[in-house]
Amino acid sequence: MKKTIFVTVIMLLVMNISVISFSQTSDNVNIPVYLSIPSYAVIESVDKESLEYDLDLSSPENKSEEVKVKIVANTAFELYVEFDAEESSFSEETRALLELLNSSYNYSIDSNKSSSGVVEKTVQVGFNFQQALDNNPEIRELLLKSGEYNGKVGNFVFTVSPAV
């Protein structure tokens, strides 16, 4: 009987030791993984090739055009619009026109914002000729003296960049 009890105790000890060793080998180890995705914002397309303007000083129109700008971004972004006049195409006589264009262009952007995906912004771009001519009668006189000008005067430039 003592032998049976001794064998039973030994077997229980062996089972306890094996359970303890198995529980120690099944511990979890957590290894952190970090993923970095660079932010980007790019213009995918603009729906206008060019904008045509006629300025008649007897009745200057304040014409603006709607331009759809499609932007792909994975972060918050800003859309900037500026008018880039081609200064090399202006002679001394037409410098007044260059000054008028630089002082009268305007734009407005819709308030639709998105932090990721494809976003279509509507931009109103144009020139407020009447206000610029009313504020500066000298420009009006210089334009009348220089006569008719037919040719490309510049570009509207659209730029996107991640918001700061």
Side-chain angles (χ1 to χ4, degrees):
M1 174 93 170
K2 283 185 173 182
K3 195 172 185 180
T4 314
I5 292 177
F6 180 74
V7 170
T8 306
V9 168
I10 298 266
M11 286 179 65
L12 285 173
L13 282 174
V14 168
M15 284 178 30
N16 280 340
I17 290 173
S18 66
V19 167
I20 290 171
S21 67
F22 281 128
S23 68
Q24 287 176 348
T25 59
S26 67
D27 281 348
N28 290 333
V29 176
N30 292 327
I31 300 172
V33 176
Y34 298 99
L35 183 62
S36 175
I37 300 173
S39 65
Y40 63 87
V42 294
I43 292 177
E44 186 177 72
S45 66
V46 177
D47 76 338
K48 293 263 187 207
E49 285 273 327
S50 64
L51 302 175
E52 307 268 336
Y53 286 89
D54 290 320
L55 172 60
D56 179 0
L57 288 184
S58 61
S59 61
E61 291 182 25
N62 296 323
K63 183 177 166 187
S64 67
E65 293 276 339
E66 189 175 273
V67 180
K68 299 269 192 220
V69 181
K70 198 176 283 187
I71 299 163
V72 178
N74 73 344
T75 185
F77 63 90
E78 298 288 333
L79 174 63
Y80 302 99
V81 181
E82 57 189 319
F83 178 69
D84 182 23
E86 292 190 354
E87 294 191 39
S88 61
S89 65
F90 292 98
S91 64
E92 284 301 316
E93 296 81 35
T94 56
R95 287 285 169 192
L97 178 57
L98 175 63
E99 189 177 328
L100 175 70
L101 292 170
N102 283 328
S103 66
S104 67
Y105 87 90
N106 59 62
Y107 68 93
S108 65
I109 303 172
D110 71 350
S111 60
N112 178 20
K113 291 191 176 183
S114 175
S115 60
S116 64
V118 177
V119 180
E120 191 168 273
K121 295 267 188 194
T122 302
V123 182
Q124 289 287 124
V125 293
F127 294 93
N128 191 351
F129 293 126
Q130 183 66 58
Q131 184 180 356
L133 291 171
D134 289 345
N135 291 341
N136 197 339
E138 295 86 28
I139 288 183
R140 179 188 293 266
E141 293 305 316
L142 287 171
L143 286 173
L144 287 171
K145 284 180 191 173
S146 64
E148 191 172 313
Y149 179 86
N150 289 317
K152 182 178 174 181
V153 293
N155 298 299
F156 277 101
V157 179
F158 299 91
T159 310
V160 289
S161 65
V164 187

